[in-house]
mmCIF file of all heavy atoms in Angstrom:
data_model
loop_
_atom_site.group_PDB
_atom_site.id
_atom_site.type_symbol
_atom_site.label_atom_id
_atom_site.label_comp_id
_atom_site.label_asym_id
_atom_site.label_seq_id
_atom_site.Cartn_x
_atom_site.Cartn_y
_atom_site.Cartn_z
ATOM 1 N N GLN A 37 -4.507 45.434 -1.668
ATOM 2 C CA GLN A 37 -4.071 44.141 -1.165
ATOM 3 C C GLN A 37 -2.513 44.103 -1.213
ATOM 4 O O GLN A 37 -1.922 44.620 -2.102
ATOM 5 C CB GLN A 37 -4.620 42.988 -1.941
ATOM 6 C CG GLN A 37 -6.144 42.898 -2.075
ATOM 7 C CD GLN A 37 -6.698 41.682 -2.716
ATOM 8 O OE1 GLN A 37 -5.907 40.709 -2.915
ATOM 9 N NE2 GLN A 37 -7.864 41.705 -3.120
ATOM 10 N N TYR A 39 0.884 41.382 -1.041
ATOM 11 C CA TYR A 39 1.149 40.020 -1.152
ATOM 12 C C TYR A 39 2.573 39.748 -0.903
ATOM 13 O O TYR A 39 3.334 40.799 -1.149
ATOM 14 C CB TYR A 39 0.826 39.336 -2.510
ATOM 15 C CG TYR A 39 -0.539 39.253 -2.950
ATOM 16 C CD1 TYR A 39 -1.357 40.375 -3.135
ATOM 17 C CD2 TYR A 39 -1.188 38.033 -2.923
ATOM 18 C CE1 TYR A 39 -2.850 40.136 -3.509
ATOM 19 C CE2 TYR A 39 -2.486 37.864 -3.225
ATOM 20 C CZ TYR A 39 -3.316 38.862 -3.465
ATOM 21 O OH TYR A 39 -4.623 38.754 -3.852
ATOM 22 N N GLN A 41 6.035 37.446 -2.008
ATOM 23 C CA GLN A 41 6.464 36.407 -3.063
ATOM 24 C C GLN A 41 7.932 36.107 -2.764
ATOM 25 O O GLN A 41 8.764 36.954 -2.696
ATOM 26 C CB GLN A 41 6.293 36.965 -4.347
ATOM 27 C CG GLN A 41 6.626 35.921 -5.498
ATOM 28 C CD GLN A 41 6.345 36.383 -6.837
ATOM 29 O OE1 GLN A 41 6.318 37.615 -7.160
ATOM 30 N NE2 GLN A 41 6.245 35.382 -7.823
ATOM 31 N N ARG A 45 8.385 31.293 -6.287
ATOM 32 C CA ARG A 45 7.147 30.741 -5.768
ATOM 33 C C ARG A 45 5.891 31.737 -6.195
ATOM 34 O O ARG A 45 6.269 32.948 -6.643
ATOM 35 C CB ARG A 45 7.241 30.609 -4.374
ATOM 36 C CG ARG A 45 8.389 29.677 -4.025
ATOM 37 C CD ARG A 45 8.394 29.183 -2.551
ATOM 38 N NE ARG A 45 7.195 28.287 -2.255
ATOM 39 C CZ ARG A 45 7.014 27.704 -1.116
ATOM 40 N NH1 ARG A 45 7.887 27.901 -0.173
ATOM 41 N NH2 ARG A 45 5.951 26.929 -1.019
ATOM 42 N N GLY A 46 4.826 31.332 -5.944
ATOM 43 C CA GLY A 46 3.633 32.126 -6.194
ATOM 44 C C GLY A 46 3.413 33.156 -5.018
ATOM 45 O O GLY A 46 3.771 32.974 -3.999
ATOM 46 N N PRO A 47 2.805 34.261 -5.440
ATOM 47 C CA PRO A 47 2.566 35.276 -4.289
ATOM 48 C C PRO A 47 1.538 34.783 -3.276
ATOM 49 O O PRO A 47 0.683 33.825 -3.726
ATOM 50 C CB PRO A 47 1.836 36.442 -5.094
ATOM 51 C CG PRO A 47 2.356 36.309 -6.601
ATOM 52 C CD PRO A 47 2.505 34.795 -6.660
ATOM 53 N N PHE A 49 -1.229 35.976 -0.212
ATOM 54 C CA PHE A 49 -2.028 37.062 0.232
ATOM 55 C C PHE A 49 -1.578 37.294 1.757
ATOM 56 O O PHE A 49 -1.542 36.359 2.442
ATOM 57 C CB PHE A 49 -3.382 36.703 0.128
ATOM 58 C CG PHE A 49 -4.290 37.749 0.825
ATOM 59 C CD1 PHE A 49 -4.586 39.007 0.224
ATOM 60 C CD2 PHE A 49 -4.962 37.411 2.087
ATOM 61 C CE1 PHE A 49 -5.400 39.782 0.931
ATOM 62 C CE2 PHE A 49 -5.635 38.294 2.699
ATOM 63 C CZ PHE A 49 -6.004 39.673 2.137
ATOM 64 N N ARG A 54 -9.444 48.456 3.054
ATOM 65 C CA ARG A 54 -10.582 49.100 2.181
ATOM 66 C C ARG A 54 -10.261 50.618 2.145
ATOM 67 O O ARG A 54 -9.529 51.094 3.010
ATOM 68 C CB ARG A 54 -11.923 48.763 2.934
ATOM 69 C CG ARG A 54 -12.136 47.363 3.075
ATOM 70 C CD ARG A 54 -13.356 47.274 4.018
ATOM 71 N NE ARG A 54 -13.617 45.657 4.226
ATOM 72 C CZ ARG A 54 -14.327 44.907 3.586
ATOM 73 N NH1 ARG A 54 -15.084 45.510 2.541
ATOM 74 N NH2 ARG A 54 -14.541 43.774 3.858
ATOM 75 N N GLY A 102 -15.246 44.205 -11.676
ATOM 76 C CA GLY A 102 -15.295 42.652 -11.693
ATOM 77 C C GLY A 102 -14.204 42.294 -10.444
ATOM 78 O O GLY A 102 -13.815 41.113 -10.481
ATOM 79 N N ASN A 103 -13.806 43.165 -9.636
ATOM 80 C CA ASN A 103 -12.891 42.925 -8.489
ATOM 81 C C ASN A 103 -11.629 42.391 -9.151
ATOM 82 O O ASN A 103 -10.873 41.437 -8.517
ATOM 83 C CB ASN A 103 -13.536 41.991 -7.526
ATOM 84 C CG ASN A 103 -14.601 42.493 -6.633
ATOM 85 O OD1 ASN A 103 -15.776 42.298 -6.930
ATOM 86 N ND2 ASN A 103 -14.267 43.539 -5.742
ATOM 87 N N MET A 104 -11.139 42.766 -10.361
ATOM 88 C CA MET A 104 -9.904 42.418 -10.860
ATOM 89 C C MET A 104 -8.723 43.072 -10.111
ATOM 90 O O MET A 104 -8.978 44.127 -9.771
ATOM 91 C CB MET A 104 -9.945 42.598 -12.412
ATOM 92 C CG MET A 104 -11.071 42.065 -13.195
ATOM 93 S SD MET A 104 -11.104 40.261 -13.079
ATOM 94 C CE MET A 104 -9.548 39.884 -13.890
ATOM 95 N N ARG B 36 -13.790 31.456 -9.678
ATOM 96 C CA ARG B 36 -12.861 32.314 -10.414
ATOM 97 C C ARG B 36 -11.357 31.783 -10.593
ATOM 98 O O ARG B 36 -10.899 31.317 -9.565
ATOM 99 C CB ARG B 36 -12.816 33.656 -9.975
ATOM 100 C CG ARG B 36 -14.161 34.522 -9.794
ATOM 101 C CD ARG B 36 -14.102 35.924 -9.395
ATOM 102 N NE ARG B 36 -15.335 36.567 -9.525
ATOM 103 C CZ ARG B 36 -15.484 37.901 -9.565
ATOM 104 N NH1 ARG B 36 -14.387 38.649 -9.381
ATOM 105 N NH2 ARG B 36 -16.691 38.347 -9.754
ATOM 106 N N GLN B 42 4.724 36.544 -15.433
ATOM 107 C CA GLN B 42 5.578 37.576 -14.608
ATOM 108 C C GLN B 42 6.814 37.562 -15.218
ATOM 109 O O GLN B 42 7.540 36.513 -15.483
ATOM 110 C CB GLN B 42 5.681 37.025 -13.208
ATOM 111 C CG GLN B 42 6.334 38.072 -12.323
ATOM 112 C CD GLN B 42 6.373 37.629 -10.928
ATOM 113 O OE1 GLN B 42 6.539 36.492 -10.531
ATOM 114 N NE2 GLN B 42 6.147 38.486 -9.913
ATOM 115 N N LEU B 50 -2.106 40.032 -16.439
ATOM 116 C CA LEU B 50 -3.168 39.198 -16.610
ATOM 117 C C LEU B 50 -3.323 38.671 -18.017
ATOM 118 O O LEU B 50 -3.402 39.548 -18.949
ATOM 119 C CB LEU B 50 -4.424 39.835 -16.236
ATOM 120 C CG LEU B 50 -5.698 39.039 -16.160
ATOM 121 C CD1 LEU B 50 -5.639 37.825 -15.172
ATOM 122 C CD2 LEU B 50 -6.926 39.886 -15.884
ATOM 123 N N PHE B 95 1.797 32.055 -13.770
ATOM 124 C CA PHE B 95 1.053 31.646 -12.586
ATOM 125 C C PHE B 95 -0.499 31.654 -12.761
ATOM 126 O O PHE B 95 -0.999 32.342 -13.498
ATOM 127 C CB PHE B 95 1.231 32.857 -11.418
ATOM 128 C CG PHE B 95 2.623 32.798 -10.949
ATOM 129 C CD1 PHE B 95 3.481 33.706 -11.256
ATOM 130 C CD2 PHE B 95 2.954 31.821 -9.925
ATOM 131 C CE1 PHE B 95 4.731 33.831 -10.647
ATOM 132 C CE2 PHE B 95 4.323 31.855 -9.432
ATOM 133 C CZ PHE B 95 5.216 32.760 -9.792
ATOM 134 N N GLY B 104 -15.939 39.473 3.743
ATOM 135 C CA GLY B 104 -16.418 40.877 3.470
ATOM 136 C C GLY B 104 -16.684 41.121 1.993
ATOM 137 O O GLY B 104 -16.909 42.333 1.699
ATOM 138 N N TYR B 107 -11.946 39.929 -2.849
ATOM 139 C CA TYR B 107 -11.502 38.855 -3.699
ATOM 140 C C TYR B 107 -9.970 38.599 -3.498
ATOM 141 O O TYR B 107 -9.199 38.997 -4.475
ATOM 142 C CB TYR B 107 -11.964 39.146 -5.010
ATOM 143 C CG TYR B 107 -13.296 38.824 -5.360
ATOM 144 C CD1 TYR B 107 -14.354 39.748 -5.086
ATOM 145 C CD2 TYR B 107 -13.758 37.603 -6.021
ATOM 146 C CE1 TYR B 107 -15.664 39.528 -5.333
ATOM 147 C CE2 TYR B 107 -15.101 37.376 -6.138
ATOM 148 C CZ TYR B 107 -16.060 38.354 -5.894
ATOM 149 O OH TYR B 107 -17.349 38.137 -6.175
ATOM 150 N N GLU B 108 -9.584 38.099 -2.483
ATOM 151 C CA GLU B 108 -8.085 37.728 -2.345
ATOM 152 C C GLU B 108 -7.785 36.555 -3.287
ATOM 153 O O GLU B 108 -8.679 35.823 -3.523
ATOM 154 C CB GLU B 108 -7.738 37.277 -0.893
ATOM 155 C CG GLU B 108 -8.088 38.309 0.214
ATOM 156 C CD GLU B 108 -9.534 38.193 0.693
ATOM 157 O OE1 GLU B 108 -9.662 37.328 1.533
ATOM 158 O OE2 GLU B 108 -10.356 38.897 0.186
ATOM 159 N N GLN B 109 -6.615 36.762 -3.850
ATOM 160 C CA GLN B 109 -6.308 35.604 -4.860
ATOM 161 C C GLN B 109 -5.285 34.663 -4.247
ATOM 162 O O GLN B 109 -4.377 34.952 -3.517
ATOM 163 C CB GLN B 109 -5.748 36.245 -6.096
ATOM 164 C CG GLN B 109 -6.783 36.908 -6.905
ATOM 165 C CD GLN B 109 -6.459 37.418 -8.305
ATOM 166 O OE1 GLN B 109 -5.367 37.005 -8.812
ATOM 167 N NE2 GLN B 109 -7.349 38.198 -8.906
ATOM 168 N N PHE B 111 -2.614 31.786 -5.270
ATOM 169 C CA PHE B 111 -1.713 31.437 -6.465
ATOM 170 C C PHE B 111 -1.099 30.019 -6.390
ATOM 171 O O PHE B 111 -0.833 29.374 -5.264
ATOM 172 C CB PHE B 111 -0.582 32.499 -6.577
ATOM 173 C CG PHE B 111 -1.037 33.708 -7.004
ATOM 174 C CD1 PHE B 111 -1.518 34.682 -6.233
ATOM 175 C CD2 PHE B 111 -0.825 34.161 -8.272
ATOM 176 C CE1 PHE B 111 -1.877 35.916 -6.583
ATOM 177 C CE2 PHE B 111 -1.126 35.399 -8.833
ATOM 178 C CZ PHE B 111 -1.799 36.211 -7.927
ATOM 179 N N GLY B 112 -0.882 29.479 -7.501
ATOM 180 C CA GLY B 112 -0.148 28.173 -7.688
ATOM 181 C C GLY B 112 1.340 28.456 -7.529
ATOM 182 O O GLY B 112 1.802 29.710 -7.487
#
Side-chain angles (χ1 to χ4, degrees):
Chain A
Q37 302 184 18
Y39 290 77
Q41 185 175 22
R45 305 191 69 175
F49 171 76
R54 300 168 186 270
N103 292 105
M104 302 301 294
Chain B
R36 297 188 174 197
Q42 187 174 42
L50 184 65
F95 288 104
Y107 286 82
E108 303 86 87
Q109 293 190 7
F111 286 80

